Amino acid sequence: LGEIFSDMMDLKHERLQAEPGNPQVIKKVNLLVQQAVRHFSAFQDTMKVDGKLPEEYNEDTVRPALLCHFYLGRLASKLVVPDRSEQQLQNVLATFAAYKAIVDYCAAHPVAAEVMEGEVEVCREMVRLMPVRIEKLRRELVRN
């Protein structure tokens, strides 16, 4: 369900590009992001042991678990919030944390890196580039 809501959000996000600032489309994008996040979070909750995600996923669940992190990171970056706002910074930090979790997991578990071949490369690049964006946003917030 999370993937379906995410796909629907992508379609609405394309419409937002054609109609920037349309409050109805913004509301719909954010609602779809929230629905996708709710379903991905519920999926993650099914994997928790004693209230925490496992340190190592089994062979059958490693890809779905890491894809869940990937989607959650991507979705945080898709929420439509005011530019240069505290909420934007929080969303970027959430994206960074999700991608870093994938990179760290794959570094510790080489088999996972093979299973997540394409996604882990994207995550590594984002983890490398995002600190600059985070710092820039922090500086802009301090000035305002």
Side-chain angles (χ1 to χ4, degrees):
L1 287 172
E3 288 181 25
I4 291 168
F5 278 109
S6 182
D7 290 346
M8 290 169 52
M9 180 275 308
D10 286 336
L11 294 171
K12 287 295 179 186
H13 211 275
E14 286 177 20
R15 183 168 174 202
L16 184 60
Q17 301 306 313
E19 301 175 37
N22 182 327
Q24 292 162 326
V25 178
I26 290 170
K27 184 177 179 181
K28 189 65 173 182
V29 166
N30 286 343
L31 179 64
L32 290 167
V33 167
Q34 291 165 358
Q35 291 294 326
V37 166
R38 185 171 63 92
H39 288 288
F40 281 118
S41 296
F43 175 71
Q44 273 187 333
D45 289 345
T46 67
M47 297 185 161
K48 289 182 177 178
V49 178
D50 296 327
K52 295 186 326 187
L53 291 173
E55 289 186 26
E56 185 171 1
Y57 297 104
N58 66 41
E59 183 181 320
D60 295 334
T61 61
V62 68
R63 181 161 174 79
L66 294 180
L67 276 176
C68 190
H69 281 289
F70 186 79
Y71 273 106
L72 288 169
R74 183 177 175 276
L75 288 163
S77 71
K78 295 295 185 175
L79 274 167
V80 182
V81 298
D83 284 341
R84 296 184 237 22
S85 66
E86 183 63 35
Q87 184 60 52
Q88 184 183 30
L89 176 62
Q90 294 308 312
N91 294 347
V92 172
L93 289 170
T95 297
F96 179 79
Y99 291 165
K100 185 157 179 14
I102 294 168
V103 169
D104 292 346
Y105 188 91
C106 288
H109 304 91
V111 172
E114 292 173 20
V115 172
M116 294 293 291
E117 186 178 343
E119 294 87 358
V120 76
E121 288 306 316
V122 170
C123 291
R124 285 180 183 135
E125 186 67 13
M126 294 302 286
V127 166
R128 189 178 69 74
L129 296 173
M130 287 184 79
V132 173
R133 181 170 182 215
I134 291 167
E135 188 54 37
K136 181 181 176 189
L137 269 171
R138 282 189 172 135
R139 276 185 268 142
E140 289 174 354
L141 286 173
V142 168
R143 278 188 256 164
N144 295 334

